[in-house]
Amino acid sequence: PATVAGPSGGVSAAGAGPRVATADSPPGGGGGGGGRCRFSAVCPFPYARDGRADSVAPLGVVVCSASRGEERFSSLAAAVRAAPEGATVLLGEGETELDGALLLQRPLTLLGARNAVLTARGGGSVVVVDLPGGGAAGGLPPPTLSIVGVGVVQRATEQPGVASACAREGEPARAAAGYAVVVRAGRAELTQCTVQSALSGGCFVSAAASAALRGCHFGAAAMHGVLVSGRARVEMSHCHVHSTGAAGVEARGRSEVRLHCCRVRHSSRSGLFATAFAEAHAEYCNVFQCRFAGIECAGQSEVRVHSCRVHDGERGGLLALGRSSLRVDACAVSRNAMAGVSARGSGRVVVADSAVTSGRASGVHISEEASATVEHCRVEANGLCGVELSGSAATLVARRNVVRGNGGEAFALPSPQCGGCVQLEGNDLG
């Protein structure tokens, strides 16, 4: 599976105390020394580059299969139509412009040479993955299509897309303002790919489809970097998501998204956002300089964050709204313009073994009917209070934390307490 790699993110030990570990890898990586991911024994990072397509002529297309050997084609669409299941389609360097979206309906590997790029006229999607049998009926694994080392670019155009169905596999299909890469059935694996969209978003995975995104770069998107909806499942590892017009990564419906050693930055909304009944899990990630929250959950979604850095946000760090649930373990939350961790509505937050420091507002803020449990944390050097309760029905349990050096009170509690519950135990107030 494939992508043209951009800088990836990761996390490294730092911050809140002996039990708090976060990570931050240099641009271009996400793993540790020795050429391996330092946070997972099973993560294959760094992803080995397959150079077989480098020998293909610029803009050339070659299909390799066990049954027919090597075959050369004049167009990518023709090659995809002719390729048998399991074949590898080699794409030469240069920019290949399609007349419309490339529909991929059988398990193949699309392997790009260095600087191989796909674009499409008309403003629609560039690549659409729609593998029959994608529901994995009978307990069988879903069919998988792999894209490796290919750039996918959706450019702005003055000509609106014209919606029409794809007549045959591999033929162009025009679609108005679709995401650059759409996965609507089966499983897609993208490795070391660069995906950009001046019109919409980078990658959209919907229905019951699934995707693995490895070492990919999603940037310069008018909407989301990655959007997951329905009951789709997406795993992202060592990816870089940046400069998006909507959330960097968003999960909706009953979908699930998992991020490992990713970097998410400069989003016009939240960096990672889960809503409705979605689930999001992030570990060893670096989320920063987003215009809203670094990580946000709403509706009845559930978000778990482990060993991540969330910092330098233009507003808050981590935010739970509605009836959502947020758990934060071993994270470093710092230098955010608003509260480092905030719960509103009926949101539920657990913050453990983490550092919440150097924000301009309170370190932890609980309001309305929200609840928070804060344990074994360091809450220091925030501009307002250490932990603030502003809702009379809000609930707080704080045990064995270090809360000191903040601009206001260590614990700012409403007086009198009406309906809510406050339990403070063994906290060090300096």
Side-chain angles (χ1 to χ4, degrees):
T3 8
V4 177
S8 308
V11 251
S12 62
R19 299 183 64 185
V20 178
T22 63
D24 187 17
S25 300
R36 296 180 59 187
C37 176
R38 63 176 177 252
F39 304 110
S40 172
V42 298
C43 177
F45 180 88
Y47 308 106
R49 185 178 178 276
D50 189 332
R52 285 179 292 166
D54 292 346
S55 60
V56 177
L59 303 181
V61 183
V62 175
V63 175
C64 301
S65 64
S67 58
R68 303 205 297 250
E70 288 191 3
E71 300 174 281
R72 299 184 183 277
F73 291 84
S74 59
S75 74
L76 179 59
V80 168
R81 287 197 302 270
E85 285 194 12
T88 298
V89 179
L90 306 179
L91 182 63
E93 68 173 337
E95 183 172 304
T96 299
E97 186 177 44
L98 306 168
D99 289 331
L102 183 72
L103 182 63
L104 301 171
Q105 290 187 299
R106 71 185 73 173
L108 301 169
T109 295
L110 178 59
L111 175 62
R114 292 187 186 275
N115 303 316
V117 176
L118 292 178
T119 65
R121 299 188 190 97
S125 298
V126 180
V127 174
V128 176
V129 179
D130 191 0
L131 301 179
L140 297 175
T144 300
L145 182 130
S146 299
I147 304 176
V148 181
V150 177
V152 180
V153 179
Q154 188 183 49
R155 292 195 173 89
T157 176
E158 295 181 359
Q159 300 177 351
V162 179
S164 66
C166 210
R168 290 191 298 167
E169 180 184 6
E171 288 189 345
R174 296 186 183 273
Y179 277 45
V181 176
V182 176
V183 184
R184 59 193 188 198
R187 179 174 175 83
E189 296 181 352
L190 277 68
T191 305
Q192 296 173 334
C193 295
T194 294
V195 182
Q196 299 177 355
S197 173
L199 290 173
S200 57
C203 181
F204 177 36
V205 186
S206 66
S210 65
L213 311 175
R214 303 177 182 128
C216 294
H217 186 141
F218 299 91
M223 295 177 65
H224 305 87
V226 177
L227 174 61
V228 190
S229 185
R231 294 182 178 271
R233 299 289 181 266
V234 171
E235 307 119 40
M236 301 176 62
S237 57
H238 297 275
C239 291
H240 184 192
V241 183
H242 71 94
S243 306
T244 59
V249 179
E250 179 172 333
R252 300 176 178 173
R254 295 186 180 274
S255 64
E256 179 180 333
V257 62
R258 293 180 176 270
L259 284 72
H260 168 77
C261 288
C262 292
R263 176 176 293 165
V264 184
R265 64 178 176 89
H266 293 107
S267 163
S268 293
R269 293 291 297 172
S270 296
L272 171 61
F273 178 44
T275 187
F277 298 92
E279 293 184 25
H281 303 260
E283 62 176 13
Y284 308 111
C285 293
N286 189 5
V287 183
F288 60 102
Q289 293 182 343
C290 296
R291 227 172 254 180
F292 198 64
I295 298 175
E296 177 188 359
C297 51
Q300 297 186 52
S301 62
E302 179 178 327
V303 173
R304 292 179 177 267
V305 186
H306 177 75
S307 294
C308 292
R309 291 183 64 201
V310 183
H311 59 101
D312 295 291
E314 294 185 23
R315 295 186 70 178
L318 298 103
L319 173 62
L321 300 172
R323 298 170 62 189
S324 63
S325 173
L326 170 65
R327 182 170 183 101
V328 182
D329 290 294
C331 290
V333 183
S334 63
R335 301 191 303 272
N336 295 289
M338 296 178 67
V341 180
S342 179
R344 305 178 194 166
S346 299
R348 292 164 292 136
V349 171
V350 176
V351 188
D353 303 307
S354 296
V356 184
T357 63
S358 305
R360 291 190 217 166
S362 296
V364 180
H365 185 200
I366 308 102
S367 62
E368 301 172 23
E369 298 179 358
S371 64
T373 299
V374 184
E375 298 179 308
H376 301 104
C377 291
R378 180 163 60 88
V379 185
E380 294 181 330
N382 295 288
L384 297 180
C385 305
V387 180
E388 178 182 0
L389 234 65
S390 62
S392 60
T395 299
L396 169 66
V397 176
R399 302 189 185 100
R400 294 178 290 282
N401 302 288
V402 176
V403 186
R404 61 192 176 194
N406 299 286
E409 301 170 80
F411 290 92
L413 308 176
S415 181
Q417 264 286 309
C418 300
C421 177
V422 175
Q423 180 182 340
L424 307 180
E425 178 184 322
N427 297 290
D428 179 357
L429 307 185

